Amino acid sequence: MKVNRRQFLKTAVGAAVAAGLPAFPLSYARSQVKQGVREFRFSASPARVNLGAGPDFIAWTYNGQVPGPEIRVREGEIIRVILKNFLPEGTTIHWHGVPVPNGMDGVPVVTQKAVMPGETFVYEFEAKPAGSYMYHSHVHYQLDQGLYGPLIIEPARPGGNYDREYTLLLEDWVMRDGGGVAETERRSAMGMGGGMGMMRGRGGGRGGLASGTGPLLEPVYDGYAVNGRVYPEITPLEVSKGDKVKMRLLNPSSATIYDLCLAGHTLTITHVDGRPIKPIQTDVLRIGMGERYDVEFLADNPGNWLLAAAEQGFGEGQLRIPVRYKGISKKEAEAPTFHRGLRFATYWDFQALNPSASSGSGSVDRVYTQTLSGGMNSPYWTINGYVYPDSERLVVRKGETIGISYGNQSMMSHPMHLHGHFFRVVNSSLPRERWIFKDTIIVDPMQRVDIEFLADNPGNWFHHCHNLYHMEAGMANVVTFGS
Ligand code: C2O
Ligand code: CU
């Protein structure tokens, strides 16, 4: 391993930092390390930000920056985050993908009361297993207003044979005050995209998802950023010929799936949702909301290249970041072309790196069928026809192996996410011990996908589509431990 790996971590997480707005004590933002406990202070507050181009606007932030500060710890350390709420409404933090104890999971109503303005809440949990994760607010549309950040758990014994490492958050933004929320309200007020019925009724819930006061239209994003910067106002990733480069790709976007390609290079996928797989090569990498991929590439083709997303008609092709070889002049970066014949590795091409010992008896104790539908002429998105919070509870018992069989009866893809557990992706062409572990899985239109998980983390666990606008429109339910 060469030396320059660390120094890049600093610059890779760019931040559009804020001036002004509600003053929180600056000392609040410092982080500390004491004996195996890594303590971070997060103040959630509105702040004026700029993505490098476009207007300044008010986002909701952790410590005044977007994305929020990187939490980077070693496996086995204790993460303690002291959250103070300077927002005008309640908030929480969810540690997406980390199987934390239920009370630390940060889902309003389901696992805790929202942390109200002026209040403080302490999250504390063990950092395990190693991998790439993220954190975000789990209240209303706060994720789309900017409340998210990277969470990296390094292995207890440093492994990884690479020279440089970057953490890249792929972000969809509406560059106006209030973010995606303001945009959905504007569109709704203008009667765009469906007219009546687009406002969801006010449910009885408080301080959480249940209150459902938002309109349901998805915003039209006008900024696709990496680590809070839009192209070309973004610092290129710098590499040297011969480097092995690791990228941790995290998708905290609220409603955008990206197909990524790095011009001039092949990507090798090493981890999905933080868990190691047998390295596999691909040209195009598809990453849904809530998913994380660790990929590597060998810098063997000097030039100035772009890592970019394919355009699907929503402007996401604007998401691009230059990868520039040292010593190459600053000529225009070359974009990838998304042509036929590119390799496009899918979930069913992946195999777990190590055969899983804990694969249980091989029998499934109960199976829940989950039919995903809605949209079109309905303001709701549903699972088995139900709208959260008036949805089913998936009852499980500790120690059981639970199957979930998804069927997507709608015309949109749904990245389904289960809290508190990793699940295995059923793959009939592989022996069970090679099935991969994930916590978020895209179910495509008209597709069926089966997963299994060992119910080993008691509590009430949220289970939902990670399209924020689908989740808020009802596509969610709760896995609950019974006896
Ligand atoms: Cu990334 Cu329920 O969340
Ligand atoms: Cu969805």
Side-chain angles (χ1 to χ4, degrees), residues 146-191:
L147 289 172
Y148 56 80
L151 166 53
I152 307 300
I153 304 178
E154 296 183 335
R157 281 174 301 149
N161 165 33
Y162 45 87
D163 304 300
R164 293 168 189 274
E165 178 183 341
Y166 295 95
T167 299
L168 303 177
L169 284 79
L170 316 178
E171 309 164 352
D172 52 11
W173 284 100
V174 174
M175 294 187 282
R176 76 171 57 219
D177 293 354
V181 183
E183 171 68 5
T184 52
E185 282 166 357
R186 183 183 70 86
R187 280 163 57 79
S188 186
M190 289 172 64

Short mmCIF file of all heavy atoms in Angstrom, two decimals, residues 146-191:
data_model
loop_
_atom_site.label_atom_id
_atom_site.label_comp_id
_atom_site.label_asym_id
_atom_site.label_seq_id
_atom_site.Cartn_x
_atom_site.Cartn_y
_atom_site.Cartn_z
N GLY A 146 -31.16 17.54 2.52
CA GLY A 146 -29.71 17.58 2.72
C GLY A 146 -29.20 16.83 3.95
O GLY A 146 -27.99 16.81 4.19
N LEU A 147 -30.09 16.22 4.72
CA LEU A 147 -29.65 15.61 5.98
C LEU A 147 -29.18 14.17 5.76
O LEU A 147 -29.91 13.21 6.03
CB LEU A 147 -30.77 15.68 7.02
CG LEU A 147 -31.02 17.10 7.54
CD1 LEU A 147 -32.27 17.14 8.41
CD2 LEU A 147 -29.82 17.61 8.35
N TYR A 148 -27.95 14.04 5.30
CA TYR A 148 -27.33 12.72 5.12
C TYR A 148 -25.82 12.88 5.09
O TYR A 148 -25.30 13.98 4.91
CB TYR A 148 -27.81 12.05 3.82
CG TYR A 148 -27.58 12.89 2.60
CD1 TYR A 148 -26.31 12.94 2.01
CD2 TYR A 148 -28.60 13.67 2.08
CE1 TYR A 148 -26.09 13.75 0.90
CE2 TYR A 148 -28.37 14.47 0.98
CZ TYR A 148 -27.12 14.52 0.39
OH TYR A 148 -26.90 15.32 -0.69
N GLY A 149 -25.14 11.75 5.24
CA GLY A 149 -23.68 11.78 5.16
C GLY A 149 -23.13 10.36 5.13
O GLY A 149 -23.87 9.39 5.27
N PRO A 150 -21.82 10.24 4.91
CA PRO A 150 -21.18 8.92 4.79
C PRO A 150 -20.78 8.34 6.15
O PRO A 150 -20.38 9.08 7.06
CB PRO A 150 -19.92 9.22 3.97
CG PRO A 150 -19.58 10.65 4.31
CD PRO A 150 -20.88 11.35 4.61
N LEU A 151 -20.87 7.05 6.25
CA LEU A 151 -20.45 6.33 7.46
C LEU A 151 -19.61 5.16 7.01
O LEU A 151 -20.11 4.23 6.36
CB LEU A 151 -21.69 5.86 8.24
CG LEU A 151 -21.51 4.82 9.35
CD1 LEU A 151 -20.46 5.24 10.36
CD2 LEU A 151 -22.84 4.60 10.07
N ILE A 152 -18.32 5.21 7.32
CA ILE A 152 -17.40 4.18 6.84
C ILE A 152 -16.83 3.43 8.05
O ILE A 152 -16.26 4.04 8.95
CB ILE A 152 -16.22 4.81 6.05
CG1 ILE A 152 -16.72 5.73 4.94
CG2 ILE A 152 -15.29 3.71 5.51
CD1 ILE A 152 -17.60 5.07 3.89
N ILE A 153 -17.01 2.11 8.04
CA ILE A 153 -16.41 1.29 9.10
C ILE A 153 -15.27 0.50 8.46
O ILE A 153 -15.49 -0.36 7.60
CB ILE A 153 -17.45 0.34 9.73
CG1 ILE A 153 -18.64 1.16 10.27
CG2 ILE A 153 -16.81 -0.48 10.84
CD1 ILE A 153 -19.76 0.30 10.87
N GLU A 154 -14.06 0.83 8.88
CA GLU A 154 -12.89 0.13 8.34
C GLU A 154 -12.71 -1.18 9.07
O GLU A 154 -13.06 -1.29 10.24
CB GLU A 154 -11.64 0.99 8.52
CG GLU A 154 -11.69 2.29 7.74
CD GLU A 154 -10.41 3.10 7.87
OE1 GLU A 154 -9.70 2.94 8.88
OE2 GLU A 154 -10.13 3.88 6.95
N PRO A 155 -12.13 -2.18 8.39
CA PRO A 155 -11.91 -3.46 9.06
C PRO A 155 -10.99 -3.29 10.28
O PRO A 155 -10.13 -2.42 10.28
CB PRO A 155 -11.20 -4.30 7.99
CG PRO A 155 -11.32 -3.57 6.71
CD PRO A 155 -11.64 -2.14 7.01
N ALA A 156 -11.19 -4.12 11.28
CA ALA A 156 -10.36 -4.07 12.48
C ALA A 156 -8.90 -4.26 12.11
O ALA A 156 -8.02 -3.56 12.61
CB ALA A 156 -10.81 -5.13 13.48
N ARG A 157 -8.65 -5.22 11.24
CA ARG A 157 -7.29 -5.38 10.70
C ARG A 157 -7.31 -4.78 9.32
O ARG A 157 -8.00 -5.26 8.42
CB ARG A 157 -6.91 -6.85 10.62
CG ARG A 157 -6.48 -7.43 11.94
CD ARG A 157 -6.25 -8.93 11.81
NE ARG A 157 -7.47 -9.60 11.36
CZ ARG A 157 -7.50 -10.69 10.61
NH1 ARG A 157 -6.39 -11.24 10.18
NH2 ARG A 157 -8.66 -11.24 10.27
N PRO A 158 -6.55 -3.70 9.13
CA PRO A 158 -6.61 -3.03 7.84
C PRO A 158 -6.26 -4.00 6.72
O PRO A 158 -5.23 -4.67 6.77
CB PRO A 158 -5.57 -1.91 7.94
CG PRO A 158 -5.07 -1.93 9.34
CD PRO A 158 -5.55 -3.14 10.04
N GLY A 159 -7.12 -4.12 5.78
CA GLY A 159 -6.86 -4.97 4.63
C GLY A 159 -6.84 -4.09 3.42
O GLY A 159 -6.57 -2.90 3.52
N GLY A 160 -7.15 -4.65 2.28
CA GLY A 160 -7.31 -3.80 1.11
C GLY A 160 -5.99 -3.44 0.50
O GLY A 160 -5.13 -2.84 1.13
N ASN A 161 -5.86 -3.85 -0.70
CA ASN A 161 -4.61 -3.66 -1.40
C ASN A 161 -4.85 -2.61 -2.46
O ASN A 161 -5.12 -2.93 -3.60
CB ASN A 161 -4.21 -5.03 -1.97
CG ASN A 161 -3.13 -4.90 -3.00
OD1 ASN A 161 -2.28 -4.02 -2.91
ND2 ASN A 161 -3.20 -5.76 -4.02
N TYR A 162 -4.84 -1.35 -2.04
CA TYR A 162 -5.08 -0.28 -3.01
C TYR A 162 -4.29 0.95 -2.60
O TYR A 162 -3.83 1.07 -1.46
CB TYR A 162 -6.57 0.03 -3.13
CG TYR A 162 -7.29 0.13 -1.83
CD1 TYR A 162 -7.33 1.33 -1.14
CD2 TYR A 162 -7.91 -0.99 -1.26
CE1 TYR A 162 -7.97 1.42 0.08
CE2 TYR A 162 -8.55 -0.90 -0.04
CZ TYR A 162 -8.58 0.30 0.62
OH TYR A 162 -9.21 0.39 1.83
N ASP A 163 -4.11 1.85 -3.55
CA ASP A 163 -3.24 2.99 -3.34
C ASP A 163 -3.99 4.25 -2.93
O ASP A 163 -3.47 5.10 -2.24
CB ASP A 163 -2.46 3.27 -4.63
CG ASP A 163 -1.69 2.04 -5.08
OD1 ASP A 163 -0.84 1.58 -4.30
OD2 ASP A 163 -1.98 1.52 -6.17
N ARG A 164 -5.20 4.37 -3.43
CA ARG A 164 -6.00 5.56 -3.14
C ARG A 164 -7.41 5.13 -2.87
O ARG A 164 -7.88 4.14 -3.43
CB ARG A 164 -6.03 6.50 -4.34
CG ARG A 164 -4.73 7.12 -4.67
CD ARG A 164 -4.82 7.79 -6.04
NE ARG A 164 -3.49 8.19 -6.44
CZ ARG A 164 -2.94 9.34 -6.09
NH1 ARG A 164 -3.63 10.21 -5.38
NH2 ARG A 164 -1.71 9.64 -6.47
N GLU A 165 -8.07 5.92 -2.07
CA GLU A 165 -9.45 5.60 -1.75
C GLU A 165 -10.27 6.87 -1.75
O GLU A 165 -9.85 7.89 -1.22
CB GLU A 165 -9.49 4.96 -0.35
CG GLU A 165 -10.90 4.64 0.08
CD GLU A 165 -10.96 4.06 1.48
OE1 GLU A 165 -9.93 3.57 1.99
OE2 GLU A 165 -12.04 4.14 2.07
N TYR A 166 -11.43 6.78 -2.36
CA TYR A 166 -12.34 7.92 -2.38
C TYR A 166 -13.71 7.47 -1.92
O TYR A 166 -14.15 6.36 -2.25
CB TYR A 166 -12.50 8.47 -3.80
CG TYR A 166 -11.23 9.06 -4.38
CD1 TYR A 166 -10.40 8.29 -5.18
CD2 TYR A 166 -10.89 10.38 -4.12
CE1 TYR A 166 -9.24 8.82 -5.71
CE2 TYR A 166 -9.73 10.92 -4.66
CZ TYR A 166 -8.91 10.14 -5.45
OH TYR A 166 -7.76 10.68 -5.98
N THR A 167 -14.40 8.32 -1.20
CA THR A 167 -15.79 8.08 -0.86
C THR A 167 -16.62 9.08 -1.66
O THR A 167 -16.39 10.29 -1.56
CB THR A 167 -16.03 8.28 0.65
OG1 THR A 167 -15.21 7.35 1.37
CG2 THR A 167 -17.49 8.05 1.01
N LEU A 168 -17.53 8.57 -2.47
CA LEU A 168 -18.30 9.44 -3.36
C LEU A 168 -19.79 9.28 -3.10
O LEU A 168 -20.35 8.19 -3.27
CB LEU A 168 -17.99 9.10 -4.82
CG LEU A 168 -16.51 9.16 -5.23
CD1 LEU A 168 -16.34 8.72 -6.68
CD2 LEU A 168 -15.94 10.57 -5.04
N LEU A 169 -20.44 10.37 -2.69
CA LEU A 169 -21.88 10.36 -2.49
C LEU A 169 -22.54 10.94 -3.73
O LEU A 169 -22.15 12.02 -4.20
CB LEU A 169 -22.27 11.17 -1.26
CG LEU A 169 -22.00 10.48 0.08
CD1 LEU A 169 -20.55 10.58 0.47
CD2 LEU A 169 -22.87 11.08 1.18
N LEU A 170 -23.51 10.23 -4.25
CA LEU A 170 -24.21 10.63 -5.47
C LEU A 170 -25.53 11.27 -5.06
O LEU A 170 -26.36 10.63 -4.42
CB LEU A 170 -24.47 9.41 -6.35
CG LEU A 170 -23.28 8.43 -6.49
CD1 LEU A 170 -23.69 7.24 -7.34
CD2 LEU A 170 -22.05 9.12 -7.08
N GLU A 171 -25.71 12.53 -5.43
CA GLU A 171 -26.79 13.30 -4.82
C GLU A 171 -27.70 13.97 -5.86
O GLU A 171 -27.21 14.55 -6.83
CB GLU A 171 -26.18 14.41 -3.94
CG GLU A 171 -25.15 13.87 -2.98
CD GLU A 171 -24.25 14.94 -2.37
OE1 GLU A 171 -24.33 16.11 -2.81
OE2 GLU A 171 -23.48 14.63 -1.47
N ASP A 172 -29.00 13.89 -5.62
CA ASP A 172 -29.93 14.65 -6.45
C ASP A 172 -30.43 15.84 -5.66
O ASP A 172 -30.84 15.72 -4.52
CB ASP A 172 -31.08 13.76 -6.99
CG ASP A 172 -31.81 12.97 -5.92
OD1 ASP A 172 -31.61 13.21 -4.70
OD2 ASP A 172 -32.62 12.10 -6.30
N TRP A 173 -30.36 17.01 -6.26
CA TRP A 173 -30.71 18.25 -5.57
C TRP A 173 -31.73 19.06 -6.35
O TRP A 173 -31.70 19.09 -7.58
CB TRP A 173 -29.46 19.14 -5.43
CG TRP A 173 -28.51 18.72 -4.39
CD1 TRP A 173 -27.34 18.02 -4.56
CD2 TRP A 173 -28.59 19.00 -2.98
NE1 TRP A 173 -26.71 17.84 -3.36
CE2 TRP A 173 -27.45 18.43 -2.38
CE3 TRP A 173 -29.52 19.67 -2.18
CZ2 TRP A 173 -27.22 18.51 -1.00
CZ3 TRP A 173 -29.30 19.75 -0.82
CH2 TRP A 173 -28.16 19.17 -0.24
N VAL A 174 -32.57 19.75 -5.61
CA VAL A 174 -33.34 20.85 -6.18
C VAL A 174 -32.73 22.10 -5.57
O VAL A 174 -32.77 22.29 -4.37
CB VAL A 174 -34.84 20.76 -5.81
CG1 VAL A 174 -35.57 22.00 -6.29
CG2 VAL A 174 -35.44 19.50 -6.40
N MET A 175 -32.13 22.93 -6.41
CA MET A 175 -31.39 24.08 -5.88
C MET A 175 -32.33 25.24 -5.62
O MET A 175 -32.31 26.27 -6.30
CB MET A 175 -30.28 24.46 -6.86
CG MET A 175 -29.21 23.36 -6.95
SD MET A 175 -27.77 23.86 -7.91
CE MET A 175 -28.41 23.67 -9.57
N ARG A 176 -33.22 25.04 -4.68
CA ARG A 176 -34.06 26.15 -4.24
C ARG A 176 -34.33 25.92 -2.76
O ARG A 176 -34.24 24.80 -2.28
CB ARG A 176 -35.33 26.25 -5.08
CG ARG A 176 -36.38 25.23 -4.77
CD ARG A 176 -37.72 25.46 -5.46
NE ARG A 176 -37.67 25.55 -6.90
CZ ARG A 176 -38.41 26.41 -7.62
NH1 ARG A 176 -39.20 27.25 -7.01
NH2 ARG A 176 -38.37 26.39 -8.92
N ASP A 177 -34.65 26.98 -2.06
CA ASP A 177 -34.88 26.86 -0.62
C ASP A 177 -35.91 25.79 -0.36
O ASP A 177 -36.96 25.75 -1.00
CB ASP A 177 -35.36 28.19 -0.03
CG ASP A 177 -34.28 29.27 -0.09
OD1 ASP A 177 -33.14 28.95 -0.48
OD2 ASP A 177 -34.60 30.42 0.26
N GLY A 178 -35.60 24.92 0.57
CA GLY A 178 -36.54 23.85 0.89
C GLY A 178 -36.32 22.60 0.06
O GLY A 178 -36.95 21.58 0.29
N GLY A 179 -35.44 22.67 -0.93
CA GLY A 179 -35.04 21.48 -1.67
C GLY A 179 -36.20 20.83 -2.39
O GLY A 179 -37.10 21.47 -2.91
N GLY A 180 -36.17 19.50 -2.43
CA GLY A 180 -37.18 18.75 -3.16
C GLY A 180 -38.58 18.99 -2.66
O GLY A 180 -39.55 18.90 -3.41
N VAL A 181 -38.68 19.34 -1.38
CA VAL A 181 -40.00 19.58 -0.82
C VAL A 181 -40.65 20.78 -1.49
O VAL A 181 -41.80 20.74 -1.92
CB VAL A 181 -39.89 19.84 0.70
CG1 VAL A 181 -41.26 20.02 1.29
CG2 VAL A 181 -39.14 18.71 1.36
N ALA A 182 -39.85 21.86 -1.60
CA ALA A 182 -40.37 23.07 -2.22
C ALA A 182 -40.80 22.80 -3.66
O ALA A 182 -41.82 23.30 -4.13
CB ALA A 182 -39.32 24.18 -2.18
N GLU A 183 -40.01 21.99 -4.34
CA GLU A 183 -40.30 21.70 -5.74
C GLU A 183 -41.60 20.89 -5.87
O GLU A 183 -42.43 21.15 -6.74
CB GLU A 183 -39.13 20.94 -6.36
CG GLU A 183 -39.39 20.38 -7.73
CD GLU A 183 -39.55 21.45 -8.82
OE1 GLU A 183 -39.36 22.64 -8.52
OE2 GLU A 183 -39.87 21.06 -9.96
N THR A 184 -41.76 19.92 -4.98
CA THR A 184 -42.99 19.13 -5.09
C THR A 184 -44.20 20.00 -4.78
O THR A 184 -45.25 19.87 -5.40
CB THR A 184 -43.00 17.92 -4.12
OG1 THR A 184 -42.69 18.37 -2.82
CG2 THR A 184 -42.02 16.87 -4.54
N GLU A 185 -44.01 20.92 -3.85
CA GLU A 185 -45.14 21.81 -3.53
C GLU A 185 -45.46 22.73 -4.70
O GLU A 185 -46.62 22.96 -5.03
CB GLU A 185 -44.82 22.62 -2.27
CG GLU A 185 -45.03 21.77 -1.03
CD GLU A 185 -44.43 22.36 0.24
OE1 GLU A 185 -43.79 23.43 0.16
OE2 GLU A 185 -44.62 21.73 1.30
N ARG A 186 -44.41 23.22 -5.33
CA ARG A 186 -44.63 24.11 -6.47
C ARG A 186 -45.36 23.37 -7.59
O ARG A 186 -46.35 23.83 -8.13
CB ARG A 186 -43.27 24.62 -6.99
CG ARG A 186 -43.38 25.61 -8.14
CD ARG A 186 -42.00 26.00 -8.66
NE ARG A 186 -41.34 24.90 -9.35
CZ ARG A 186 -41.51 24.62 -10.65
NH1 ARG A 186 -42.33 25.35 -11.38
NH2 ARG A 186 -40.88 23.61 -11.21
N ARG A 187 -44.88 22.18 -7.88
CA ARG A 187 -45.51 21.41 -8.96
C ARG A 187 -46.95 21.05 -8.62
O ARG A 187 -47.83 21.07 -9.47
CB ARG A 187 -44.70 20.13 -9.23
CG ARG A 187 -43.48 20.40 -10.09
CD ARG A 187 -42.48 19.27 -10.03
NE ARG A 187 -43.02 17.98 -10.43
CZ ARG A 187 -43.22 17.59 -11.68
NH1 ARG A 187 -42.95 18.40 -12.68
NH2 ARG A 187 -43.70 16.40 -11.94
N SER A 188 -47.12 20.73 -7.37
CA SER A 188 -48.46 20.37 -6.96
C SER A 188 -49.40 21.56 -7.07
O SER A 188 -50.52 21.46 -7.60
CB SER A 188 -48.40 19.86 -5.52
OG SER A 188 -49.66 19.38 -5.16
N ALA A 189 -48.91 22.73 -6.65
CA ALA A 189 -49.73 23.94 -6.72
C ALA A 189 -50.05 24.29 -8.16
O ALA A 189 -51.13 24.80 -8.47
CB ALA A 189 -48.99 25.10 -6.05
N MET A 190 -49.12 23.99 -9.06
CA MET A 190 -49.35 24.29 -10.46
C MET A 190 -50.20 23.21 -11.13
O MET A 190 -50.47 23.27 -12.33
CB MET A 190 -48.02 24.41 -11.21
CG MET A 190 -47.25 25.66 -10.85
SD MET A 190 -45.60 25.64 -11.56
CE MET A 190 -46.00 25.67 -13.30
N GLY A 191 -50.56 22.21 -10.36
CA GLY A 191 -51.39 21.16 -10.91
C GLY A 191 -50.65 20.29 -11.91
O GLY A 191 -51.24 19.69 -12.79
#
